[in-house]
Amino acid sequence: MMLLRSSSASPFARKIRIAADVLGLSDRIEVTPADTSDPAEPLRTQNPLGKIPTLVLADGAAIYDSAVILEYLDFLAGGGRLIPSGEARFDVLTRAALADGVMDAAILTIYEQRWRDAATHSARWLDHQSGKIARALAAFEAAAPDPAAIDVAAIGLACALGYLDLRFGGKWRADHPKLVVWLDAFAAKAPAFEATRHREG
Amino acid sequence: MMLLRSSSASPFARKIRIAADVLGLSDRIEVTPADTSDPAEPLRTQNPLGKIPTLVLADGAAIYDSAVILEYLDFLAGGGRLIPSGEARFDVLTRAALADGVMDAAILTIYEQRWRDAATHSARWLDHQSGKIARALAAFEAAAPDPAAIDVAAIGLACALGYLDLRFGGKWRADHPKLVVWLDAFAAKAPAFEATRHREG
């Protein structure tokens, strides 16, 4: 059994849980919560960065970050299912990195509230992050993904949009009608998307 | 000709320049500086996240982030030279992600000075980042890389240590004697490490 060190709200961990379901690997992975703010968490030994998701194998070896875990799960499932081989690989991985960048910027925005008093917030920093999100979403809207493909780029985009729904009230929806349609199509094809939705409390 | 959107001080861009040299691809890549703070920079169209490094291919398609670019260069060079195939791949990619995490934490520490007034710095945030760096360096020191291997993990670690030299006065050296020896060995085997050292002014 592999352990997925995770948190219910993490969009990066959600990618792994959806991928595991799509690949039929969920019964080989036990999802175990990790409190990233707890210095005594074994997570900090498993992954010195203290970041989730981290995948711990049966022999204790750890695999991270989320992009590496996704590739490992694809490898376990025979390869080529979530990431194509050959030249096509790099377009998919780049769009996956773009989706990851949306999540990174969104999380840094949330961290501003979590780590700092309101009086010390930096409007310039927050604008910088929201600019990244806006440009990335505009790029995805202009070239909406193939609704037939469930690959690492699609899984990443779905989790990025899901995180914007969770933490920013889904404001992205008003200006990105193609992505709204695309996300519905993705959710219909990958039931794990709905099953992994974070619910507070 | 490919364009590498870059900056002289970026440790993530330095990884690409070293990899290109190791793989014999440098003459196919033109390194072009990008000012990530300039809203009019074409970089923000090439990569909506506005991040360096971004590799722009002859047809205008862009590849990022740095991990994806490294894999693309390895692919162009025939594959398997900087990233092994099969199960061994995931240990190397995980150690590369650990080195990337050191750079991320170090850059966020520098950004604290660059984006915020001193009165609004968060000691808790800075401690959180320095904890990631300390734990990651301890892990690398406890299992110093094979000095014979030049792979994406070694290139990443060298650039992470080089960035700590550049921005934090090389304080890591006192407590990590094995990494000091390892970095010297790496630099001797990969002359691009020294050739890509950032110099102010």
Side-chain angles (χ1 to χ4, degrees):
Chain A
M1 189 67 98
M2 297 178 277
L3 300 181
L4 180 65
R5 306 309 317 273
S6 180
S7 87
S8 167
S10 163
F12 289 103
R14 191 180 188 184
K15 290 195 303 177
I16 309 305
R17 294 157 74 200
I18 293 172
D21 186 73
V22 167
L23 296 170
L25 295 170
S26 294
D27 60 356
R28 295 173 60 183
I29 299 173
E30 182 183 348
V31 179
T32 62
D35 177 355
T36 57
S37 66
D38 176 5
E41 240 298 340
L43 175 67
R44 295 194 181 183
T45 305
Q46 292 156 343
N47 175 351
L49 302 171
K51 286 184 177 174
I52 52 171
T54 292
L55 186 70
V56 183
L57 308 187
D59 68 0
I63 293 180
Y64 49 87
D65 58 13
S66 69
V68 180
I69 299 173
L70 286 176
E71 187 178 334
Y72 182 66
L73 296 187
D74 193 53
F75 167 79
L76 287 182
R81 291 180 57 186
L82 297 183
I83 314 173
S85 58
E87 189 97 31
R89 183 174 185 87
F90 302 99
D91 175 55
V92 171
L93 290 178
T94 295
R95 286 186 289 112
L98 184 58
D100 283 354
V102 171
M103 293 187 244
D104 280 329
I107 287 172
L108 284 172
T109 301
I110 293 298
Y111 279 1
E112 192 79 4
Q113 301 161 26
R114 196 170 292 172
W115 287 84
R116 299 175 193 276
D117 297 333
T120 65
H121 289 180
S122 164
R124 195 161 70 92
W125 175 253
L126 292 171
D127 285 350
H128 190 59
Q129 302 308 326
S130 63
K132 291 175 190 288
I133 296 171
R135 292 191 302 272
L137 292 189
F140 278 123
E141 176 77 9
D146 176 359
I150 297 190
D151 56 21
V152 291
I155 292 171
L157 178 58
C159 292
L161 297 174
Y163 191 69
L164 297 178
D165 276 339
L166 174 67
R167 295 294 190 221
F168 300 89
K171 278 185 290 223
W172 65 273
R173 292 175 172 270
D175 297 330
H176 303 89
K178 289 179 186 163
L179 291 181
V180 172
V181 171
W182 175 84
L183 186 59
D184 285 345
F186 178 88
K189 288 187 51 187
F193 181 71
E194 192 55 43
T196 56
R197 183 184 298 278
H198 174 70
R199 289 178 174 84
E200 298 285 358
Chain B
M1 189 66 100
M2 297 179 277
L3 301 181
L4 180 65
R5 307 309 315 274
S6 181
S7 87
S8 167
S10 163
F12 289 104
R14 191 180 188 184
K15 290 196 302 178
I16 309 304
R17 294 157 71 200
I18 293 172
D21 187 72
V22 167
L23 296 170
L25 295 170
S26 294
D27 60 355
R28 295 173 60 182
I29 299 174
E30 182 183 348
V31 178
T32 62
D35 178 354
T36 57
S37 66
D38 176 5
E41 241 298 339
L43 174 66
R44 295 194 180 183
T45 306
Q46 293 156 342
N47 174 352
L49 302 171
K51 286 184 177 172
I52 52 172
T54 292
L55 186 70
V56 184
L57 308 187
D59 68 0
I63 293 180
Y64 50 87
D65 56 16
S66 68
V68 181
I69 299 172
L70 286 176
E71 186 178 336
Y72 181 66
L73 296 186
D74 194 52
F75 167 80
L76 287 182
R81 292 180 57 186
L82 296 182
I83 314 174
S85 57
E87 188 98 32
R89 183 175 184 87
F90 301 99
D91 175 55
V92 171
L93 290 178
T94 294
R95 287 185 290 112
L98 184 57
D100 283 354
V102 172
M103 293 187 245
D104 279 329
I107 287 173
L108 283 172
T109 301
I110 294 298
Y111 279 1
E112 191 80 3
Q113 301 161 25
R114 197 170 291 170
W115 287 84
R116 301 175 193 275
D117 297 334
T120 66
H121 289 181
S122 164
R124 194 162 70 93
W125 175 252
L126 293 170
D127 285 350
H128 189 60
Q129 303 308 324
S130 63
K132 291 175 190 286
I133 296 170
R135 292 190 302 271
L137 292 189
F140 278 123
E141 176 77 7
D146 176 0
I150 297 190
D151 56 21
V152 291
I155 292 172
L157 177 58
C159 292
L161 297 175
Y163 191 69
L164 297 178
D165 276 339
L166 174 67
R167 296 294 189 221
F168 300 88
K171 277 184 291 219
W172 65 274
R173 291 174 172 269
D175 297 329
H176 303 88
K178 289 180 186 164
L179 291 181
V180 171
V181 171
W182 175 83
L183 186 59
D184 285 344
F186 179 88
K189 288 186 53 189
F193 180 71
E194 193 55 44
T196 56
R197 184 184 297 279
H198 174 71
R199 290 177 174 84
E200 299 284 359

